[in-house]
Amino acid sequence: MTQLNFCLGIHCHQPVGNFDSVFSDAVNKAYLPFLETLDEFPSIKISLHYSGVLLQWIEQHRPEFLSLIERMIKRGQIELMTGGFYEPLLPIIPDCDKVGQIKKLTCYLTERFGCHPTGLWLAERVWEPHLPASLRDAGVTYTVVDDTHFKIAGVGEPDIFGYFLTDELGKGIAIFPISTTLRYTIPFQVPEVTIDYFRSIATEAGDRLIVMADDGEKFGIWPETNRHCYTDGWLRRFFETLEANRDWLRLLTFSEALQQCQPRGQVYLPTASYFEMMEWAMPAHTILHYEDFVNKLKECDLYDRYKMFVRGGFWRNFFVKYPESNNIHKKMLRVSARVQHAAESAPDHPAVHDAQDNLWQGQCNCAYWHGVFGGLYLTHLRSALYNRLIRAETALDTVLHKNRNWIDVTTCDLDCDGQEELLVETPLENLYFKPAQGATLFEHDFKPAAINLIDTLRRREEAYHQRIRDPAPALPPNPESTKSIHDLLRPKEADLEKLLHYDWYPRVSLIDHFLNPATTLDAFSACQYAEDGDCVNQPYQARVEKGRNRCVLEFSRDGHLYHGQAIVPFRIVKTLTIRPTRSGFDADYTIQNNAPLPMRTLFGIEFNVNLLAGNAPDRFYFVTGQSLAHPALNSRGTSARATDFGLVDEWLKIKVHFVISSAATLWRFPIETASQSEGGFERIYQSSVLLPHWSLDLAPEQKWSVSMSYRIETLEQ
Amino acid sequence: MTQLNFCLGIHCHQPVGNFDSVFSDAVNKAYLPFLETLDEFPSIKISLHYSGVLLQWIEQHRPEFLSLIERMIKRGQIELMTGGFYEPLLPIIPDCDKVGQIKKLTCYLTERFGCHPTGLWLAERVWEPHLPASLRDAGVTYTVVDDTHFKIAGVGEPDIFGYFLTDELGKGIAIFPISTTLRYTIPFQVPEVTIDYFRSIATEAGDRLIVMADDGEKFGIWPETNRHCYTDGWLRRFFETLEANRDWLRLLTFSEALQQCQPRGQVYLPTASYFEMMEWAMPAHTILHYEDFVNKLKECDLYDRYKMFVRGGFWRNFFVKYPESNNIHKKMLRVSARVQHAAESAPDHPAVHDAQDNLWQGQCNCAYWHGVFGGLYLTHLRSALYNRLIRAETALDTVLHKNRNWIDVTTCDLDCDGQEELLVETPLENLYFKPAQGATLFEHDFKPAAINLIDTLRRREEAYHQRIRDPAPALPPNPESTKSIHDLLRPKEADLEKLLHYDWYPRVSLIDHFLNPATTLDAFSACQYAEDGDCVNQPYQARVEKGRNRCVLEFSRDGHLYHGQAIVPFRIVKTLTIRPTRSGFDADYTIQNNAPLPMRTLFGIEFNVNLLAGNAPDRFYFVTGQSLAHPALNSRGTSARATDFGLVDEWLKIKVHFVISSAATLWRFPIETASQSEGGFERIYQSSVLLPHWSLDLAPEQKWSVSMSYRIETLEQ
């Protein structure tokens, strides 16, 4: 009689910063019903991973869930796995944080459940070959990745049916390959399909092992899966089928498999993740090219035989694809270095522990990338990362700064793009400038509210946008995914294609625009207009004058206006005064026409402000002295002769307040993206753009000036 | 007018342990004529890398070469690049050795030439994404890899025409992509082909950059290239053509390019090397499957358009493909850890410095892998690595061991295969045993001669063996390599296909064979025979008894003899006594028939001894008391009734001496491999096999015993 070993693993996680309602929904619709169903089948063993984020939420809101887990552990049905506490991508965080986050979850599980987990759930299975050293340092003896990782290393069937050993310079761990086949049959096909597959690979020797491990959300949260798994009873039938085949199908936890089965051999895995992730990590046009290739291979009947040699990109290039992610990442690294520094000088200071925990929360992977889930596109997840990182910095301030009235100015290449940034930091805020790209303000962290006010994801082409534009053509048939998430994507609302405008520059603040006088609000907001100047993303000279109680930044550029054939040289100087006791800055602008011709242009200064909700009663625009009925932050409009205006957030209790010395025309409009999520294509409010602008007509040598104050004010409680 | 920037880099290296004649030949036929030709074209700038191994040899044997380099540096024509001093693969050595080896070469170049190199030649362009951190720690600001690395990261043309920035967790360097096209046109096509290609990519903006960087051996050492480059004048014509196009083609060193050109952007490169290397790193049958795929893609006209998604394996899997390489690697890591330990306890001890330098020599990459070069197959290169690592250990002995009469026994998983090895170490030698695989002796380092006597590469199938078996069919046409090395492979001697036998077990020592009584020497040496027993690679129980002046290892196994349908259980016990003052061991064997049947078998104990030269007058076999005329070590034969025999190496002045208590039939034969090298397919002597064996016919319960002494004796000077 043929036999087979089967390891079943389930991983459950919700991002730091996700809404309570989503946690609650996930527990009610997926995590709890899964476990309750499993509870009826005590012979079915399983390895489970819950991220620390999720466990903390469950402990606070649904403690009975933990008691159920505990009971099932006690009877030997469940093995718990560890991981980075806040589910970071391990390769992209410093080694001390890798080890620290893993030990934190291991300690939590040991204290709460009395178990001693040594298996690690590798977030998103993002593997790099030097990981085993940190894993071993953190007490890990095994982890689980995809069979894709193995196949691209040259391990084919039947060798793949087992587990392997790997090491980084002699520090070794075991690794299990997750079956891609099973990721698509469970729970999307009738249980018999899985059992038939099991039968097809079972052997007389019975020494083969197959692994299914995937997200717990597939069992109740992904579209249609709650009805499918529970109402229609798929999960119960699946467990019944497993039980019915117990005579030849042995269910083992991963730890049991390590004890009872021999490793298949050694292997070294290249940088990899599951194959979908490697596709998403590529540039949009490369994804389309890749999809062409895969389709052609399928047409030529070559794909199945040779797909081990076909693969997409490398995870870390999400930082290149989305500089906004790179910005969070490099900021996180800066905070991590400062936490380490503080931990060395004051290891027992409670503020250092607080900073470390906030740093670790700020490493949660979900908003660092974007694939079939919203991820980076979701402003509430991105802002949660900034929130935790800013909180960590604020905690460190109390340790690292003796007096309360300080201002630090740092010049460094924060984002590793080869150009230096200018970082101004005070007890109240961080103001980060890019002299090399328009002397723009690309990050403004207001510490009392722990928010980066500028945090905006620019509108860019995504490979799937062609499906929004042209939803009609059927997708090429994918035999592996008859009902899976990847084929279910449909727009959540009509007319999403109207959002498909792409920004040619980063949506940050203090952007100096010289628009063609004919530019309209509609054209500008669609980013389809004529920029006559060359200041938006070009280098400025920077001069810093730092006193004890203020710092003055002078940014200047000899720019050009392109009027048809004529080229008008001009000089722009923007001087910012920043004080440690007041938020924001005072800005003095001077523009001088250096041409022997007149200089005619619309000069505007763009600000992007993201207060997280585009259409909420407690968040709105104001323009003092004008009869505006508090328009919503996702509204579009023009205010003539504005001098005092801004945005109010009654929830955060802050007001972003602009006062200008010379009345401007104010355009406002929202940046909204169209992105995919597991529920379909959706509109996401990214920020509110404010463009105060002036019509200039300067004679040769004529100068024009304006002053502006930009403040974040705290509303009365 | 269109313009283009062009960086030309040349890398020259010879392996640690290579023959003087090869160094000399390479200097005379390639390195020197290249430089002398270049010297005539002072306007042609170039970046050059010479490994520390090569520079030391040149300094000793051809100092005038260094003066020429110095003169060309002084006039600004040459930029020197650093690298690991002994050309290690950086990802596979510990971080402290990475930094140490790079700093050693940087210091050497600074002291000798007064230059300050910050560019690194990355050995074999084996890249892993965490490298930048160590590189930055070692003072490196840029390195050079293949465009393949970039293309598989999703960077296509035209972005590829420039350099990029990357970082590991914020520690950044610049990276240049080497053009694969140029690697095949230079020097294999007429210079105009290269110039035409340059013209095709030059632009009005003139901001593109293209890089050619490759091995200096391509200019004079690779087959036919000396005639081609110098006699036929290709290189002079190439330089003349470059000079003639100076108005639009700007030659820059890498450092000049960094100063004068903007980076193209950021990028994160996955694990990669040049595409040929990624193919070689795969198992033999997977290489064939991969070649099928590439050929099919070419037939379907898909390859050129989509090859960025097609790739082979991962370098580190050479350790899986060749456990012999893994053995050297893991031994090296063990030595490195001990050097570090010693350096902490006695940082200024000269023996520690000596050990460290030998360790670093033992990290030279060439014999850790095998592609189109002999590499790992070349016994003199492999033995050079063991030699340096053993010398490092011997140096450490003087620091770590106070008394001279010690014996250490360590149980650990040295090779990371999940099974424990037993390491016995004394002032004279290292004896490493694998209880889990036949209780075999897999490494025997004799310290006075600094040699691992067992170091044998087993005969295994290689993908290219089919071309030895069937040389007739023309290779599929490769448009990229009309005259390149990859198509020139032809057997160096006739009948190489007769060597294509494959070993089913590792060629080590103390292997317990139970052969079918009908087995012949020919069948056994071809590894096509019936092994009736199950001891060769199966687990033994191990018991260690360690005294002050000796250690006794008892290995035992309850084995089985498979006689047609009958199964004969038996017990084998081998007891080894090892003393710190004497090399080798005394072995006592007992075999007991535990079946109710007679046990009839040929019992033999296999030893593999590699004295490096199969056919040399100073290396030969002896069988005392028999009229053998000192047969060569690659001879094959049988000696009846042998009791005292062995191998003599008059060059190393050692004798490997066996004395057995009960006369045996002695088979001897060589292990010879057929492998590819840049000069063609070649026979390589790997070791001499000695198989003393006895015909056993044991009644039920009957025991049989034999004793053996195995010693390494030093010959009189």
Side-chain angles (χ1 to χ4, degrees), chain B residues 350-541:
Chain B
V352 173
H353 288 225
D354 183 34
Q356 186 172 63
D357 199 66
N358 273 295
L359 161 68
W360 289 351
Q361 291 182 50
Q363 293 173 338
C364 181
N365 80 83
C366 309
Y368 281 94
W369 60 282
H370 171 62
V372 75
F373 307 105
L376 178 68
Y377 272 90
L378 300 176
T379 45
H380 66 291
L381 296 189
R382 250 181 11 243
S383 77
L385 298 186
Y386 277 113
N387 175 275
R388 303 309 190 278
L389 296 175
I390 295 165
R391 281 202 231 164
E393 289 181 297
T394 309
L396 290 181
D397 285 348
T398 62
V399 184
L400 300 176
H401 290 281
K402 298 283 180 225
N403 81 55
R404 299 200 37 168
N405 209 5
W406 52 272
I407 186 161
D408 279 352
V409 181
T410 311
T411 303
C412 66
D413 181 7
L414 179 70
D415 57 4
C416 300
D417 69 345
Q419 295 170 329
E420 291 200 320
E421 287 82 44
L422 197 57
L423 315 183
V424 181
E425 295 168 305
T426 77
L428 266 181
E429 64 191 348
N430 303 320
L431 291 157
Y432 293 172
F433 300 92
K434 263 192 195 293
Q437 286 182 39
T440 49
L441 174 68
F442 65 95
E443 178 168 336
H444 182 187
D445 302 326
F446 183 63
K447 292 182 181 178
I451 186 174
N452 170 14
L453 291 159
I454 293 174
D455 174 24
T456 305
L457 198 76
R458 76 199 251 189
R459 301 170 297 186
R460 51 166 64 75
E461 179 143 33
E462 294 284 0
Y464 51 77
H465 280 176
Q466 66 175 14
R467 290 197 237 162
I468 297 179
R469 283 199 193 86
D470 187 8
L475 293 173
N478 181 346
E480 286 174 336
S481 60
T482 44
K483 291 184 1 175
S484 105
I485 196 172
H486 305 280
D487 294 338
L488 292 170
L489 295 175
R490 295 287 174 268
K492 285 184 176 178
E493 60 179 284
D495 294 343
L496 273 186
E497 70 278 9
K498 293 189 179 156
L499 296 181
L500 299 182
H501 304 298
Y502 302 127
D503 297 320
W504 65 272
Y505 58 87
R507 287 288 175 181
V508 291
S509 283
L510 217 62
I511 307 171
D512 301 327
H513 286 286
F514 292 84
L515 310 179
N516 187 292
T519 307
T520 63
L521 169 56
D522 278 354
F524 185 72
S525 63
C527 220
Q528 284 166 340
Y529 71 97
E531 178 84 38
D532 285 352
D534 60 359
C535 291
V536 168
N537 55 10
Q538 293 300 303
Y540 279 59
Q541 296 283 324

Side-chain angles (χ1 to χ4, degrees), chain A residues 42-236:
Chain A
S43 74
I44 294 183
K45 296 199 173 177
I46 196 168
S47 298
L48 278 178
H49 172 256
Y50 298 97
S51 70
V53 195
L54 183 59
L55 287 168
Q56 284 182 333
W57 189 93
I58 293 173
E59 188 167 25
Q60 199 181 339
H61 298 87
R62 302 292 293 271
E64 79 281 7
F65 191 141
L66 299 192
S67 308
L68 175 58
I69 296 173
E70 197 173 2
R71 187 158 56 76
M72 293 172 78
I73 291 174
K74 285 224 173 93
R75 74 169 178 237
Q77 189 177 3
I78 286 180
E79 172 192 28
L80 285 187
M81 295 174 72
T82 187
F85 196 90
Y86 296 106
E87 199 67 357
L89 285 186
L90 292 176
I92 66 161
I93 66 173
D95 288 350
C96 57
D97 296 330
K98 290 182 181 87
V99 174
Q101 285 233 40
I102 296 168
K103 285 189 169 170
K104 183 177 165 81
L105 184 54
T106 302
C107 283
Y108 178 97
L109 297 176
T110 305
E111 281 172 21
R112 180 63 185 78
F113 299 105
C115 58
H116 300 280
T118 67
L120 174 121
W121 181 260
L122 185 67
E124 302 300 327
R125 285 98 79 188
V126 174
W127 173 266
E128 295 192 11
H130 62 294
L131 276 182
S134 298
L135 298 190
R136 272 293 288 271
D137 289 346
V140 170
T141 63
Y142 78 86
T143 189
V144 186
V145 298
D146 296 86
D147 55 8
T148 308
H149 296 64
F150 289 78
K151 288 180 176 171
I152 64 185
V155 180
E157 295 186 6
D159 292 337
I160 199 84
F161 301 124
Y163 72 90
F164 290 75
L165 303 177
T166 195
D167 68 277
E168 156 69 355
L169 305 181
K171 286 191 174 180
I173 58 165
I175 28 178
F176 290 83
I178 301 168
S179 162
T180 301
T181 305
L182 296 184
R183 282 210 297 126
Y184 281 87
T185 66
I186 298 172
F188 303 108
Q189 307 255 6
V190 292
E192 288 66 32
V193 172
T194 298
I195 293 291
D196 288 347
Y197 177 64
F198 285 161
R199 264 192 223 285
S200 75
I201 60 171
T203 57
E204 286 292 333
D207 60 351
R208 287 187 179 175
L209 171 75
I210 185 128
V211 173
M212 154 67 186
D214 208 343
D215 296 348
E217 294 79 33
K218 283 173 104 166
F219 301 88
I221 288 292
W222 283 17
E224 300 178 33
T225 55
N226 181 273
R227 180 192 48 70
H228 174 63
C229 287
Y230 307 106
T231 316
D232 295 351
W234 183 93
L235 190 63
R236 175 162 290 113

Side-chain angles (χ1 to χ4, degrees), chain A residues 611-626:
Chain A
L611 293 173
L612 304 177
N615 192 9
D618 53 0
R619 273 162 261 199
F620 48 82
Y621 283 107
F622 70 92
V623 183
T624 302
Q626 298 198 5

Side-chain angles (χ1 to χ4, degrees), chain A residues 575-608:
Chain A
T575 307
L576 310 182
T577 305
I578 301 168
R579 294 185 176 79
T581 48
R582 299 187 64 180
S583 70
F585 48 73
D586 293 310
D588 295 296
Y589 270 79
T590 308
I591 294 166
Q592 175 166 352
N593 178 2
N594 284 337
L597 310 166
M599 176 179 177
R600 292 198 188 93
T601 188
L602 287 186
F603 170 66
I605 308 171
E606 176 177 342
F607 288 83
N608 279 267

Side-chain angles (χ1 to χ4, degrees), chain B residues 539-687:
Chain B
Y540 279 59
Q541 296 283 324
R543 209 166 56 80
V544 180
E545 201 180 286
K546 189 181 163 248
R548 246 210 346 216
N549 289 316
R550 61 170 213 173
C551 129
V552 177
L553 312 179
E554 187 195 270
F555 298 115
S556 57
R557 172 171 171 81
D558 290 309
H560 299 86
L561 212 63
Y562 296 85
H563 271 319
Q565 298 295 5
I567 297 177
V568 177
F570 63 87
R571 181 167 179 79
I572 179 167
V573 181
K574 51 183 174 186
T575 307
L576 310 182
T577 306
I578 302 169
R579 292 185 178 78
T581 50
R582 300 187 64 180
S583 72
F585 48 73
D586 293 310
D588 295 297
Y589 271 80
T590 308
I591 294 166
Q592 173 166 352
N593 178 1
N594 284 337
L597 310 166
M599 176 178 176
R600 292 197 188 96
T601 189
L602 287 186
F603 170 65
I605 309 172
E606 176 177 343
F607 288 82
N608 279 268
V609 181
N610 177 9
L611 294 174
L612 303 178
N615 191 10
D618 54 358
R619 274 161 261 199
F620 48 81
Y621 283 107
F622 70 92
V623 182
T624 302
Q626 299 198 5
S627 58
L628 277 166
H630 286 183
L633 296 184
N634 65 355
S635 69
R636 162 192 310 262
T638 303
S639 304
R641 304 197 53 73
T643 55
D644 184 327
F645 55 89
L647 308 90
V648 169
D649 184 334
E650 293 180 338
W651 189 74
L652 281 178
K653 304 215 183 308
I654 59 172
K655 184 192 219 177
V656 181
H657 193 174
F658 299 83
V659 179
I660 48 183
S661 62
S662 166
T665 305
L666 176 67
W667 283 343
R668 61 172 198 281
F669 62 89
I671 297 295
E672 291 175 306
T673 50
S675 61
Q676 71 180 7
S677 75
E678 65 274 36
F681 298 111
E682 64 191 7
R683 171 199 302 261
I684 295 175
Y685 162 81
Q686 294 292 343
S687 71

Side-chain angles (χ1 to χ4, degrees), chain A residues 369-389:
Chain A
W369 60 283
H370 171 62
V372 75
F373 306 106
L376 178 66
Y377 272 90
L378 301 175
T379 45
H380 66 290
L381 297 188
R382 255 184 3 249
S383 77
L385 298 186
Y386 276 112
N387 175 274
R388 302 309 190 277
L389 296 175

